[in-house]
Amino acid sequence: MSILRGATPPWPHDASIPEVFAEQVRARPDAPAVVDAGRTLTYAELDARSDRLAGLLRGRGAGDGARVGVRLERGHGLVTAVLGILKAGGAYVPVSPGYPQERREAMLTAAGATVVVTADELSLAERAEAGAPAGTGAAAGVQAPAGPTRPPTGSAVQAPTATGSRRPAYILFTSGSTGRPKGVVVEHRSVLRLVRGADYMEFGPDERIAQVADSSFDAFTFEVWGALLNGGTVVVVPTATVLSPGALGKALAEHRITSMFLTSALFTTVMTDRPDSFAGLRNLLVGGDVLNVAAARRLLDAEPSARPARFVNAYGPTETTTFAVCGSVSGLPEDARSVPIGRPIAHTDCYVLGEDLAPVGEGESGELFIGGPGVARGYTGQPEQTEERFLPDPYATEDGARMYRTGDLVRVLADGRLDFLGRVDDQLKIRGYRVEPGEVAAALSLHPEVRDVVVVADESAGERRLVAHLAPAVPGGSPTGLREFLAGRLPEWMIPSAFVVVPALPLTTSGKVDRAALAAVPAGAGGGARVPPRSGLERDLSALAAELLGLDSVGVTDDFFALGGHSLLAMRLLSRTNDAFGVQVGLGEFLYDPTVVRLAAEVSAQLPAGTRDEVSP
């Protein structure tokens, strides 16, 4: 059958997130709710702090139906903020502090954010200076409260306007093929369907879930609400720790973390260098992209004491609230070329349909459509895009239901599991984030020295990366500052790893870009003469960097990221460097100056006197 339906256990389908959280506060007020940097907030403390913030928000007019921006780093303040916004009756709009200001402002304006919660107050003047147009309702931001003082009128969650399962809970922005990001509006009931009555893992008061995702990535929904709406604990793991395989395993053990989610790319990186990092976990969920078969097999082949009790392949677009299909992975056939994504989770319907939207035959390839209460409301302010992707559900058991068109090709295996086959369009995943190459190309086309551009995926170096092929505005020219230009408009993970300048983009006879011909265009050796290693240490580090980048050589002053590197490759470089030399060079030091010469200096500074490898004059 190409129509699959998840189980239907009881769940609080008519409740709001604050109402379910209030049940946990009453049941276990002194239990740990959030652990962050050695500080623990109990359920009662988190309840009081979020009540106070809800009161402040209402005082700023950000109550019922308000869209409230959140620009905070991961931590207890972020958790307080999103809960307080929901208690006030609003919906939170996460905007990562690391995003370029232009992109943050565009997201806040598109969402209609009336208030922005920041670590420091974001004034009305600052929003105006950033170019927010009049009439958007932009107002002064508020600071997340530092103390547990309750509003004198009592808990904000008791306000009748703070309830309602069909209210928007949050808006997450994803890459858009039209050149601007799309804001996905997710309701309270969709979040509750994800973490209450779930069958892909058991939630409960003894769960300590790692919080490693950025707030603008939908795994944040699983991490925070999976814990707080079931009496468990959110354990915030610092970004530097997440990006260091050795430190990650140590942190998971030290904080007694029981469950976590990792992107497929990060999971593959950790399994390459520290495969025992997940020992002791009850649940390891991996998703965001196709699961690497070799990395999965390496985990499954490990001794039981060196791997998690349960390993889950998790699939789901942001538009269907984090997860829609999950599969427990306990073994792989010798000739396995992929890992099935599993079956629909509870309260989720999956349809494998043909071009006529009719179910395909058994074992045939078709496009995956997803129905059920996990389906989002649509895209904020983009009715055409919403109508295109959110269709009436003719196979639903309730009136007025809609299904989401994923754009993913799948087939149903003989055992009822879904097998992912590819995409029907150009959309792809980079390190777990959805990327529409058209949005990257649209941003590049604004560069005054670029005439034509197309952005494609390249996997020749063993890691998926973006490559921009572009024709200069002036014949024979070579556009400069492309990386810096994009850094002011797009997040880091959307910036191409390589820029290939061609006289003109190759076209097919029908006038479309010939992508097969693009793949044959050599990337070149990069700009400028390379500085060779000047010491044994630099020689070893240069060789290691070249191996990871898939290059013949790397100069000691070459920018690691300009050569095609990214944060995950940098993490592997540092992990292997630290292991080889018995040092502890942090990712931050390398990101500040991503060159072999800087890395060699950091390593040398930590080596005992008399063993340092000095640079030859």
Side-chain angles (χ1 to χ4, degrees):
M1 279 291 293
S2 54
I3 294 181
L4 307 176
R5 301 190 187 278
T8 56
W11 65 293
H13 60 89
D14 57 352
S16 70
I17 292 172
E19 288 171 332
V20 177
F21 175 75
E23 295 174 0
Q24 305 304 322
V25 176
R26 289 191 292 269
R28 45 188 64 83
D30 299 324
V34 182
V35 175
D36 172 30
R39 179 176 183 177
T40 299
L41 290 181
T42 66
Y43 271 82
E45 290 170 336
L46 177 59
D47 185 45
R49 285 168 57 85
S50 55
D51 275 356
R52 182 182 173 208
L53 178 58
L56 290 174
L57 289 169
R58 285 183 174 280
R60 296 289 183 102
D64 295 341
R67 310 289 177 84
V68 182
V70 182
R71 199 183 78 186
L72 293 168
E73 299 288 353
R74 294 190 302 109
H76 59 80
L78 174 60
V79 178
T80 300
V82 297
L83 180 57
I85 291 167
L86 296 181
K87 284 184 173 186
Y92 58 90
V93 185
V95 287
S96 173
Y99 283 3
Q101 181 173 336
E102 180 178 315
R103 189 176 183 84
R104 293 199 310 262
E105 291 299 322
M107 292 164 63
L108 292 171
T109 300
T114 56
V115 169
V116 180
V117 180
T118 61
D120 301 315
E121 289 202 6
L122 182 63
S123 66
L124 178 60
E126 181 181 346
R127 287 294 307 279
E129 290 174 358
T136 62
V142 298
Q143 186 172 358
T149 305
R150 287 181 177 271
T153 55
S155 174
V157 75
Q158 296 174 355
T161 50
T163 66
S165 66
R166 300 306 300 267
R167 286 179 175 273
Y170 62 79
I171 300 173
L172 285 190
F173 281 83
T174 67
S175 182
S177 58
T178 60
R180 66 184 177 116
K182 297 180 293 190
V184 183
V185 183
V186 177
E187 299 175 341
H188 285 247
R189 71 165 188 163
S190 297
V191 176
L192 293 172
R193 153 264 182 200
L194 176 70
V195 300
R196 292 295 298 261
D199 56 359
Y200 58 91
M201 69 169 272
E202 292 185 10
F203 292 97
D206 58 347
E207 282 291 337
R208 294 172 64 86
I209 300 179
Q211 205 285 285
V212 302
D214 185 274
S215 61
S216 56
F217 186 37
D218 62 357
F220 177 82
T221 305
F222 158 77
E223 296 169 339
V224 171
W225 303 122
L228 296 183
L229 301 187
N230 292 284
T233 307
V234 178
V235 182
V236 181
V237 181
T239 300
T241 300
V242 177
L243 294 178
S244 175
L248 176 60
K250 182 179 179 181
L252 295 179
E254 179 182 341
H255 292 294
R256 297 176 286 109
I257 291 171
T258 59
S259 299
M260 76 177 306
F261 171 88
L262 278 185
T263 63
S264 301
L266 184 52
F267 167 72
T268 299
T269 299
V270 175
M271 289 305 300
T272 300
D273 294 313
R274 292 296 177 89
D276 60 346
S277 296
F278 308 114
L281 284 181
R282 290 180 194 157
N283 302 283
L284 173 63
L285 289 82
V286 177
D289 202 351
V290 177
L291 182 57
N292 183 284
V293 174
R297 195 185 303 281
R298 188 171 188 185
L299 182 69
L300 296 172
D301 289 345
E303 293 294 325
S305 60
R307 63 175 190 257
R310 195 158 185 260
F311 176 36
V312 177
N313 192 8
Y315 162 92
T318 299
E319 289 88 342
T320 61
T321 316
T322 311
F323 304 143
V325 178
C326 287
S328 180
V329 185
S330 56
L332 289 172
E334 291 277 338
D335 59 348
R337 301 174 64 181
S338 65
V339 182
I341 57 177
R343 298 178 175 85
I345 67 172
H347 303 289
T348 302
D349 298 326
C350 289
Y351 318 124
V352 185
L353 309 179
E355 293 184 1
D356 57 356
L357 299 187
V360 301
E362 184 175 348
E364 292 182 3
S365 169
E367 185 175 353
L368 177 60
F369 290 73
I370 297 173
V375 175
R377 179 176 291 194
Y379 302 118
T380 183
Q382 297 191 47
E384 297 84 4
Q385 294 278 336
T386 298
E387 185 177 354
E388 177 185 341
R389 307 301 292 192
F390 295 85
L391 284 65
D393 186 347
Y395 307 103
T397 56
E398 63 178 30
D399 295 335
R402 294 172 308 142
M403 59 182 183
Y404 173 70
R405 182 172 211 154
T406 68
D408 289 331
L409 290 174
V410 300
R411 61 175 177 170
V412 182
L413 300 175
D415 61 5
R417 292 182 297 169
L418 288 167
D419 190 26
F420 178 85
L421 301 175
R423 291 285 304 174
V424 299
D425 54 23
D426 296 331
Q427 185 190 107
L428 51 92
K429 291 290 186 75
I430 299 291
R431 282 171 274 159
Y433 291 96
R434 182 190 303 178
V435 175
E436 292 280 3
E439 184 179 356
V440 183
L444 265 176
S445 67
L446 298 176
H447 193 289
E449 298 175 25
V450 173
R451 183 179 79 247
D452 296 315
V453 60
V454 63
V455 177
V456 299
D458 175 76
E459 300 189 34
S460 59
E463 299 275 357
R464 181 179 297 156
R465 62 178 188 163
L466 293 176
V467 175
H469 298 257
L470 50 94
V474 178
S478 181
T480 59
L482 297 172
R483 193 176 304 277
E484 293 76 12
F485 180 81
L486 288 182
R489 292 165 171 77
L490 300 175
E492 179 268 335
W493 41 268
M494 290 183 70
I495 297 177
S497 297
F499 298 87
V500 180
V501 179
V502 295
L505 296 180
L507 303 177
T508 65
T509 54
S510 61
K512 296 182 179 180
V513 174
D514 187 345
R515 294 176 182 269
L518 282 174
V521 177
R530 285 187 170 156
V531 179
R534 300 158 296 173
S535 70
L537 177 57
E538 288 188 350
R539 186 167 52 252
D540 291 342
L541 294 176
S542 177
L544 179 55
E547 177 188 343
L548 291 173
L549 290 168
L551 301 175
D552 292 333
S553 65
V554 169
V556 297
T557 59
D558 291 346
D559 185 308
F560 183 81
F561 297 102
L563 294 177
H566 49 70
S567 57
L568 295 183
L569 278 181
M571 182 178 79
R572 290 185 60 192
L573 174 62
L574 292 182
S575 177
R576 293 176 64 173
T577 297
N578 291 338
D579 286 348
F581 296 98
V583 295
Q584 285 297 322
V585 180
L587 184 64
E589 288 87 349
F590 184 70
L591 294 179
Y592 177 78
D593 183 5
T595 62
V596 167
V597 67
R598 174 59 183 263
L599 180 56
E602 294 288 342
V603 171
S604 182
Q606 295 186 32
L607 293 175
T611 65
R612 297 174 183 172
D613 191 3
E614 302 296 338
V615 174
S616 302

